[in-house]
């Protein structure tokens, strides 16, 4: 993967629960560029309790996507911020073909080219098990799993010592099923779109967090 002199601009994509958030957070530590998660931006708006937040919450809770215009506006504002001048890792955007096309235009206008779109591939049966078991620290957001990644001390966050955890409301079986349907219908078409542009890199996401992260690292090493 090579950089265009303006830092690294990369998209992490894949089905819900494929691990893109986890990998984006790890990658952010290594390449020192911001991790832009549109899901987190939307959840932050929900937290404010605004009318817009309530509208967003209803869509997220049902496993539906928020309208393209809304998310595009939010993302464009974010990538115009100062900390994005050396690049960014996009997590959860683009999620539709129109979003992919707008991203292209947006970056072209700014003289930026995408370096890569990394698809983390995980089969549906593993996805369901991963999502239904995952939870996170209320204070620092560090992620855990009922079976695969328990805190070292029961009920205490390894990272910050907090003792309160939460599960996402949209991490339930019905919503995940709808998220997977939406993924296939609306998000998957972005994969061949980026493949045609020569940007797609596929990574097997079924191994350990560390194994997947090593695979992503190796893409950067091939500069
Ligand atoms: P995530 O945290 O990436 O799993 O996103 C959680 C939810 O936020 C998704 O299921 C969607 O409802 C919404 N969302 C996040 N990113 C987008 C996007 N780019 N376009 C539309 N909806 C989004």
């Amino acid at each position: 993967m090579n950089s265009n002199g303006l830092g690294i601009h990369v998209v992490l994509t894949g089905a819900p629960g494929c691990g893109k958030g986890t990998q984006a957070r790890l990658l952010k530590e290594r390449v020192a560029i911001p991790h832009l998660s549109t899901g987190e931006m939307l959840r932050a708006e929900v937290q404010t309790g605004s009318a817009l937040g309530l509208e967003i919450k209803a869509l997220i809770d049902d496993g539906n996507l928020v309208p393209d215009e809304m998310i595009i506006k939010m993302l464009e504002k974010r990538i115009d911020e100062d900390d994005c001048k050396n690049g960014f890792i996009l997590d959860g955007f683009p999620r539709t073909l129109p979003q992919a096309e707008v991203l292209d235009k947006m970056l072209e206008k700014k003289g930026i080219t995408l370096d890569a779109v990394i698809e983390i591939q995980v089969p549906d049966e593993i996805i369901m098990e991963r999502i239904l078991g995952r939870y996170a620290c209320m204070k620092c957001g560090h992620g855990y799993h009922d079976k695969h990644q328990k805190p070292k001390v029961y009920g205490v966050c390894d990272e910050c010592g907090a003792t309160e955890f939460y599960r996402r409301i949209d991490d339930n079986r019905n919503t995940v099923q709808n998220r997977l349907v939406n993924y296939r219908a609306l998000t998957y078409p972005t994969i061949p779109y980026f493949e045609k542009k020569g940007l797609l890199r596929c990574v097997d996401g079924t191994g350990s967090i560390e194994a997947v992260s090593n695979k992503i690292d190796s893409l950067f090493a091939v500069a």
Side-chain angles (χ1 to χ4, degrees), residues 175-191:
T175 304
V176 175
Q177 259 149 8
N178 196 32
R179 283 157 71 193
L180 286 170
V181 167
N182 281 326
Y183 174 74
R184 272 185 225 105
L186 301 171
T187 308
Y188 188 77
T190 63
I191 301 286

PDB file of all heavy atoms in Angstrom, residues 175-191:
ATOM      1  N   THR A 175     -32.031  -7.680  15.145  1.00  0.00           N
ATOM      2  CA  THR A 175     -31.398  -6.502  14.523  1.00  0.00           C
ATOM      3  C   THR A 175     -30.180  -6.917  13.705  1.00  0.00           C
ATOM      4  O   THR A 175     -29.955  -6.397  12.608  1.00  0.00           O
ATOM      5  CB  THR A 175     -31.019  -5.477  15.604  1.00  0.00           C
ATOM      6  OG1 THR A 175     -32.185  -5.158  16.324  1.00  0.00           O
ATOM      7  CG2 THR A 175     -30.466  -4.208  15.008  1.00  0.00           C
ATOM      8  N   VAL A 176     -29.411  -7.869  14.230  1.00  0.00           N
ATOM      9  CA  VAL A 176     -28.219  -8.299  13.486  1.00  0.00           C
ATOM     10  C   VAL A 176     -28.645  -8.925  12.161  1.00  0.00           C
ATOM     11  O   VAL A 176     -28.018  -8.680  11.118  1.00  0.00           O
ATOM     12  CB  VAL A 176     -27.361  -9.290  14.319  1.00  0.00           C
ATOM     13  CG1 VAL A 176     -26.207  -9.821  13.482  1.00  0.00           C
ATOM     14  CG2 VAL A 176     -26.837  -8.602  15.577  1.00  0.00           C
ATOM     15  N   GLN A 177     -29.748  -9.722  12.205  1.00  0.00           N
ATOM     16  CA  GLN A 177     -30.212 -10.315  10.949  1.00  0.00           C
ATOM     17  C   GLN A 177     -30.545  -9.231   9.932  1.00  0.00           C
ATOM     18  O   GLN A 177     -30.163  -9.308   8.767  1.00  0.00           O
ATOM     19  CB  GLN A 177     -31.432 -11.212  11.197  1.00  0.00           C
ATOM     20  CG  GLN A 177     -31.005 -12.676  11.226  1.00  0.00           C
ATOM     21  CD  GLN A 177     -31.852 -13.535  12.137  1.00  0.00           C
ATOM     22  OE1 GLN A 177     -32.872 -13.087  12.668  1.00  0.00           O
ATOM     23  NE2 GLN A 177     -31.427 -14.770  12.328  1.00  0.00           N
ATOM     24  N   ASN A 178     -31.213  -8.181  10.400  1.00  0.00           N
ATOM     25  CA  ASN A 178     -31.552  -7.081   9.482  1.00  0.00           C
ATOM     26  C   ASN A 178     -30.299  -6.339   9.020  1.00  0.00           C
ATOM     27  O   ASN A 178     -30.190  -5.939   7.856  1.00  0.00           O
ATOM     28  CB  ASN A 178     -32.537  -6.117  10.163  1.00  0.00           C
ATOM     29  CG  ASN A 178     -33.202  -5.205   9.146  1.00  0.00           C
ATOM     30  OD1 ASN A 178     -33.424  -5.604   8.008  1.00  0.00           O
ATOM     31  ND2 ASN A 178     -33.475  -3.976   9.551  1.00  0.00           N
ATOM     32  N   ARG A 179     -29.338  -6.193   9.925  1.00  0.00           N
ATOM     33  CA  ARG A 179     -28.083  -5.513   9.542  1.00  0.00           C
ATOM     34  C   ARG A 179     -27.364  -6.324   8.457  1.00  0.00           C
ATOM     35  O   ARG A 179     -26.764  -5.762   7.539  1.00  0.00           O
ATOM     36  CB  ARG A 179     -27.171  -5.325  10.769  1.00  0.00           C
ATOM     37  CG  ARG A 179     -27.645  -4.159  11.648  1.00  0.00           C
ATOM     38  CD  ARG A 179     -27.172  -4.256  13.072  1.00  0.00           C
ATOM     39  NE  ARG A 179     -25.747  -4.024  13.243  1.00  0.00           N
ATOM     40  CZ  ARG A 179     -25.077  -4.296  14.371  1.00  0.00           C
ATOM     41  NH1 ARG A 179     -25.716  -4.798  15.412  1.00  0.00           N
ATOM     42  NH2 ARG A 179     -23.799  -4.048  14.458  1.00  0.00           N
ATOM     43  N   LEU A 180     -27.440  -7.662   8.577  1.00  0.00           N
ATOM     44  CA  LEU A 180     -26.776  -8.495   7.560  1.00  0.00           C
ATOM     45  C   LEU A 180     -27.498  -8.400   6.214  1.00  0.00           C
ATOM     46  O   LEU A 180     -26.848  -8.337   5.168  1.00  0.00           O
ATOM     47  CB  LEU A 180     -26.722  -9.961   8.028  1.00  0.00           C
ATOM     48  CG  LEU A 180     -25.688 -10.241   9.125  1.00  0.00           C
ATOM     49  CD1 LEU A 180     -25.863 -11.644   9.696  1.00  0.00           C
ATOM     50  CD2 LEU A 180     -24.265 -10.070   8.595  1.00  0.00           C
ATOM     51  N   VAL A 181     -28.836  -8.345   6.266  1.00  0.00           N
ATOM     52  CA  VAL A 181     -29.605  -8.202   5.018  1.00  0.00           C
ATOM     53  C   VAL A 181     -29.231  -6.870   4.358  1.00  0.00           C
ATOM     54  O   VAL A 181     -28.946  -6.794   3.156  1.00  0.00           O
ATOM     55  CB  VAL A 181     -31.134  -8.262   5.308  1.00  0.00           C
ATOM     56  CG1 VAL A 181     -31.946  -7.802   4.112  1.00  0.00           C
ATOM     57  CG2 VAL A 181     -31.533  -9.686   5.725  1.00  0.00           C
ATOM     58  N   ASN A 182     -29.191  -5.813   5.173  1.00  0.00           N
ATOM     59  CA  ASN A 182     -28.839  -4.495   4.630  1.00  0.00           C
ATOM     60  C   ASN A 182     -27.402  -4.474   4.120  1.00  0.00           C
ATOM     61  O   ASN A 182     -27.097  -3.824   3.127  1.00  0.00           O
ATOM     62  CB  ASN A 182     -29.027  -3.412   5.692  1.00  0.00           C
ATOM     63  CG  ASN A 182     -30.483  -3.031   5.820  1.00  0.00           C
ATOM     64  OD1 ASN A 182     -31.218  -3.037   4.839  1.00  0.00           O
ATOM     65  ND2 ASN A 182     -30.928  -2.714   7.033  1.00  0.00           N
ATOM     66  N   TYR A 183     -26.543  -5.191   4.817  1.00  0.00           N
ATOM     67  CA  TYR A 183     -25.146  -5.238   4.367  1.00  0.00           C
ATOM     68  C   TYR A 183     -25.077  -5.810   2.954  1.00  0.00           C
ATOM     69  O   TYR A 183     -24.469  -5.226   2.063  1.00  0.00           O
ATOM     70  CB  TYR A 183     -24.273  -6.072   5.325  1.00  0.00           C
ATOM     71  CG  TYR A 183     -22.873  -6.227   4.783  1.00  0.00           C
ATOM     72  CD1 TYR A 183     -21.981  -5.152   4.819  1.00  0.00           C
ATOM     73  CD2 TYR A 183     -22.464  -7.401   4.143  1.00  0.00           C
ATOM     74  CE1 TYR A 183     -20.715  -5.255   4.252  1.00  0.00           C
ATOM     75  CE2 TYR A 183     -21.209  -7.505   3.578  1.00  0.00           C
ATOM     76  CZ  TYR A 183     -20.337  -6.435   3.643  1.00  0.00           C
ATOM     77  OH  TYR A 183     -19.098  -6.524   3.078  1.00  0.00           O
ATOM     78  N   ARG A 184     -25.757  -6.956   2.778  1.00  0.00           N
ATOM     79  CA  ARG A 184     -25.684  -7.610   1.451  1.00  0.00           C
ATOM     80  C   ARG A 184     -26.313  -6.748   0.364  1.00  0.00           C
ATOM     81  O   ARG A 184     -25.769  -6.602  -0.720  1.00  0.00           O
ATOM     82  CB  ARG A 184     -26.376  -8.971   1.488  1.00  0.00           C
ATOM     83  CG  ARG A 184     -25.404 -10.035   1.923  1.00  0.00           C
ATOM     84  CD  ARG A 184     -26.013 -11.418   1.866  1.00  0.00           C
ATOM     85  NE  ARG A 184     -25.661 -12.096   3.090  1.00  0.00           N
ATOM     86  CZ  ARG A 184     -26.478 -12.317   4.102  1.00  0.00           C
ATOM     87  NH1 ARG A 184     -27.741 -11.959   4.016  1.00  0.00           N
ATOM     88  NH2 ARG A 184     -26.049 -12.900   5.194  1.00  0.00           N
ATOM     89  N   ALA A 185     -27.463  -6.142   0.682  1.00  0.00           N
ATOM     90  CA  ALA A 185     -28.189  -5.389  -0.350  1.00  0.00           C
ATOM     91  C   ALA A 185     -27.535  -4.040  -0.642  1.00  0.00           C
ATOM     92  O   ALA A 185     -27.457  -3.624  -1.791  1.00  0.00           O
ATOM     93  CB  ALA A 185     -29.632  -5.184   0.103  1.00  0.00           C
ATOM     94  N   LEU A 186     -27.092  -3.346   0.404  1.00  0.00           N
ATOM     95  CA  LEU A 186     -26.686  -1.946   0.209  1.00  0.00           C
ATOM     96  C   LEU A 186     -25.172  -1.727   0.276  1.00  0.00           C
ATOM     97  O   LEU A 186     -24.632  -0.900  -0.457  1.00  0.00           O
ATOM     98  CB  LEU A 186     -27.370  -1.072   1.277  1.00  0.00           C
ATOM     99  CG  LEU A 186     -28.900  -1.115   1.258  1.00  0.00           C
ATOM    100  CD1 LEU A 186     -29.484  -0.417   2.471  1.00  0.00           C
ATOM    101  CD2 LEU A 186     -29.420  -0.461  -0.023  1.00  0.00           C
ATOM    102  N   THR A 187     -24.494  -2.449   1.158  1.00  0.00           N
ATOM    103  CA  THR A 187     -23.059  -2.188   1.348  1.00  0.00           C
ATOM    104  C   THR A 187     -22.201  -3.064   0.446  1.00  0.00           C
ATOM    105  O   THR A 187     -21.211  -2.592  -0.125  1.00  0.00           O
ATOM    106  CB  THR A 187     -22.654  -2.409   2.823  1.00  0.00           C
ATOM    107  OG1 THR A 187     -23.539  -1.655   3.657  1.00  0.00           O
ATOM    108  CG2 THR A 187     -21.224  -1.947   3.083  1.00  0.00           C
ATOM    109  N   TYR A 188     -22.604  -4.337   0.293  1.00  0.00           N
ATOM    110  CA  TYR A 188     -21.750  -5.236  -0.484  1.00  0.00           C
ATOM    111  C   TYR A 188     -21.428  -4.690  -1.891  1.00  0.00           C
ATOM    112  O   TYR A 188     -20.299  -4.839  -2.357  1.00  0.00           O
ATOM    113  CB  TYR A 188     -22.319  -6.667  -0.549  1.00  0.00           C
ATOM    114  CG  TYR A 188     -21.304  -7.567  -1.174  1.00  0.00           C
ATOM    115  CD1 TYR A 188     -20.199  -8.006  -0.438  1.00  0.00           C
ATOM    116  CD2 TYR A 188     -21.352  -7.865  -2.545  1.00  0.00           C
ATOM    117  CE1 TYR A 188     -19.196  -8.742  -1.037  1.00  0.00           C
ATOM    118  CE2 TYR A 188     -20.353  -8.599  -3.144  1.00  0.00           C
ATOM    119  CZ  TYR A 188     -19.284  -9.036  -2.387  1.00  0.00           C
ATOM    120  OH  TYR A 188     -18.284  -9.749  -2.989  1.00  0.00           O
ATOM    121  N   PRO A 189     -22.387  -4.038  -2.590  1.00  0.00           N
ATOM    122  CA  PRO A 189     -22.069  -3.510  -3.934  1.00  0.00           C
ATOM    123  C   PRO A 189     -20.864  -2.551  -3.968  1.00  0.00           C
ATOM    124  O   PRO A 189     -20.287  -2.319  -5.025  1.00  0.00           O
ATOM    125  CB  PRO A 189     -23.359  -2.786  -4.338  1.00  0.00           C
ATOM    126  CG  PRO A 189     -24.433  -3.496  -3.578  1.00  0.00           C
ATOM    127  CD  PRO A 189     -23.818  -3.888  -2.269  1.00  0.00           C
ATOM    128  N   THR A 190     -20.467  -2.027  -2.819  1.00  0.00           N
ATOM    129  CA  THR A 190     -19.282  -1.145  -2.825  1.00  0.00           C
ATOM    130  C   THR A 190     -17.993  -1.958  -3.006  1.00  0.00           C
ATOM    131  O   THR A 190     -16.963  -1.403  -3.381  1.00  0.00           O
ATOM    132  CB  THR A 190     -19.160  -0.313  -1.515  1.00  0.00           C
ATOM    133  OG1 THR A 190     -18.981  -1.190  -0.399  1.00  0.00           O
ATOM    134  CG2 THR A 190     -20.379   0.553  -1.278  1.00  0.00           C
ATOM    135  N   ILE A 191     -18.065  -3.275  -2.747  1.00  0.00           N
ATOM    136  CA  ILE A 191     -16.846  -4.101  -2.840  1.00  0.00           C
ATOM    137  C   ILE A 191     -16.372  -4.197  -4.293  1.00  0.00           C
ATOM    138  O   ILE A 191     -15.232  -3.825  -4.602  1.00  0.00           O
ATOM    139  CB  ILE A 191     -17.071  -5.501  -2.199  1.00  0.00           C
ATOM    140  CG1 ILE A 191     -17.459  -5.348  -0.720  1.00  0.00           C
ATOM    141  CG2 ILE A 191     -15.881  -6.419  -2.399  1.00  0.00           C
ATOM    142  CD1 ILE A 191     -16.345  -4.971   0.218  1.00  0.00           C
TER     143      ILE A 191
END
